[in-house]
Amino acid sequence: MARTAILNVMVQAATKAGRSLIRDFGEVENLQVSRKGPGDFVSAADRRAEEIIRTELTKARPNFGLIMEESGVTEGTDGQHVWHVDPLDGTTNFLHGIPIFATSIALERLGQIVAAVVYNPVMDELYTAERGRGAFLNDRRLRVAGRSELSEMVFATGLPRIGHSDHGRMLKQLRHIMPELAGIRRFGAASLDLAWTASGRVDGYWEYDLNSWDIAAGALIVKEAGGYVSETDGKQGFLESGNIVAGNEIAHKHILRLLKAAQG
C-alpha cells in the first residue's frame, strides 16, 4: 500500500508514541503491588505519548489545529485542518496491566475526517485509512465482516463507569440485545472497538458519551472498510454527540432497531 505524505506523518507519530507506551507499560506490572498504585505513573505516560505526537505533527504541519485529550484545543492558522488525537485510548486497561490500548490520530479537513491511524502497540497492529482509498491493517486491505445472521454476530460496546452516563439505560439495552446475539464484548478502548469492527473481528459496535478523539479515526476506518457509521439515532453527527453505532450494513441496522426498541 502506497501511503500519502500526510498519512506517513501520522503513522510515524503514532508508532513513535506507541513505542514510548510499550516501555512504560512494562513498568506498570511492577507498580500494581504498591500501595499508591500506578495512577500517577500512567498519567505521566499518557502525557509523554501526547507530547511525542504533538511534536511530530506540528513539525510536519505547523499550521494545523489540534484537539488533544490531555492538552485540549490548539487553534491552527490555516483554518482548514484539525488533528484529533488520543495518545492513550484504554487508560484504565493500561493502568491495570491489561494489554488492550491504542494511540488514535485523525485528520479533519473542512469538517470531514480524511485520514486515520489507530495503532495497538502491544499487538503491533497498525490500522490506517484515507478517505476514498480504503482501510488497511499492516498493509492488508480490510473489509467488515460478511455475517448476515444476527444470532451469529458479536457486538462490542462500552459500559458506563462510576460517575458517567446512564447505567439504567445500558442495562435496559443489554436486556434487549443480549438474547439476540452470539455475544457482547466490552474491550475498553473505543478506537479498537471500531478498528476491530472494520477488520471483522466484531460485527458491530455502539457506545455513548465519547469524545471526537475517541472515535474520529476509527469511524473513518470502518467506513473505508465498507461499513456504516452513524449516531445511535441514525443521524450523522456522531463526532459532535459522542454517540455512535458502527457495523456492516446488516449489523448497523440491527443495532439501530434494537436500541430504538429498548427505548420503548
Side-chain angles (χ1 to χ4, degrees), residues 25 28 32 42 88-102 186-189 192:
F25 188 65
V28 169
Q32 294 294 338
V42 171
L88 175 54
D89 182 24
T91 305
T92 301
N93 286 346
F94 192 99
L95 175 67
H96 286 266
I98 299 169
I100 301 175
F101 56 88
R186 195 273 199 257
F187 297 111
L192 288 178

Side-chain angles (χ1 to χ4, degrees), residues 5 54 72 120 150 152 160 194 241:
R54 177 190 287 277
N120 176 349
L150 187 58
E152 298 176 357
L194 288 161
S241 71

Side-chain angles (χ1 to χ4, degrees), residues 143-211:
R143 295 295 298 176
V144 291
R147 284 177 285 272
S148 58
E149 295 298 323
L150 187 58
S151 61
E152 298 176 357
M153 292 182 181
V154 171
F155 291 167
T157 191
L159 299 177
R161 62 189 188 275
I162 185 170
H164 288 263
S165 193
D166 185 338
H167 295 77
R169 175 182 63 187
M170 177 55 72
L171 291 172
K172 192 173 183 181
Q173 289 174 354
L174 290 174
R175 282 197 298 270
H176 275 78
I177 296 173
M178 286 168 58
E180 306 268 357
L181 299 179
I184 291 180
R185 301 291 183 266
R186 195 273 199 257
F187 297 111
S191 63
L192 288 178
D193 287 326
L194 288 161
W196 291 353
T197 300
S199 66
R201 289 178 179 169
V202 297
D203 301 276
Y205 162 67
W206 86 97
E207 193 165 353
Y208 293 84
D209 302 325
L210 297 166
N211 297 290

Side-chain angles (χ1 to χ4, degrees), residues 21-205:
L21 289 172
I22 285 293
R23 288 193 296 270
D24 288 334
F25 188 65
E27 298 297 320
V28 169
E29 185 175 4
N30 298 327
L31 296 168
Q32 294 294 338
V33 296
S34 73
R35 186 179 184 89
K36 184 177 181 181
D40 291 341
F41 178 84
V42 171
S43 295
D46 201 342
R47 290 192 297 272
R48 274 192 292 273
E50 182 168 287
E51 190 54 39
I52 288 169
I53 295 170
R54 177 190 287 277
T55 299
E56 293 295 318
L57 296 182
T58 55
K59 180 173 64 176
R61 297 293 188 275
N63 297 328
F64 289 11
L66 294 123
I67 300 175
M68 310 186 85
E69 181 182 20
E70 298 303 319
S71 52
V73 177
T74 301
E75 297 290 344
T77 58
D78 85 329
Q80 298 183 21
H81 296 85
V82 180
W83 302 107
H84 297 257
V85 177
D86 191 345
L88 175 54
D89 182 24
T91 305
T92 301
N93 286 346
F94 192 99
L95 175 67
H96 286 266
I98 299 169
I100 301 175
F101 56 88
T103 293
S104 176
I105 305 173
L107 177 61
E108 177 185 349
R109 178 184 297 136
L110 296 174
Q112 286 191 318
I113 303 301
V114 296
V117 171
V118 173
Y119 181 52
N120 176 349
V122 172
M123 299 176 72
D124 193 27
E125 290 189 339
L126 179 69
Y127 296 85
T128 59
E130 291 183 270
R131 189 167 180 264
R133 295 170 62 92
F136 297 84
L137 166 56
N138 293 347
D139 298 333
R140 176 177 62 82
R141 185 96 184 210
L142 291 180
R143 295 295 298 176
V144 291
R147 284 177 285 272
S148 58
E149 295 298 323
L150 187 58
S151 61
E152 298 176 357
M153 292 182 181
V154 171
F155 291 167
T157 191
L159 299 177
R161 62 189 188 275
I162 185 170
H164 288 263
S165 193
D166 185 338
H167 295 77
R169 175 182 63 187
M170 177 55 72
L171 291 172
K172 192 173 183 181
Q173 289 174 354
L174 290 174
R175 282 197 298 270
H176 275 78
I177 296 173
M178 286 168 58
E180 306 268 357
L181 299 179
I184 291 180
R185 301 291 183 266
R186 195 273 199 257
F187 297 111
S191 63
L192 288 178
D193 287 326
L194 288 161
W196 291 353
T197 300
S199 66
R201 289 178 179 169
V202 297
D203 301 276
Y205 162 67

Side-chain angles (χ1 to χ4, degrees), residues 246-262:
N248 67 24
E249 182 177 11
I250 296 171
H252 181 261
K253 288 179 179 177
H254 277 306
I255 296 173
L256 292 178
R257 174 182 61 80
L258 290 165
L259 293 179
K260 185 175 181 179

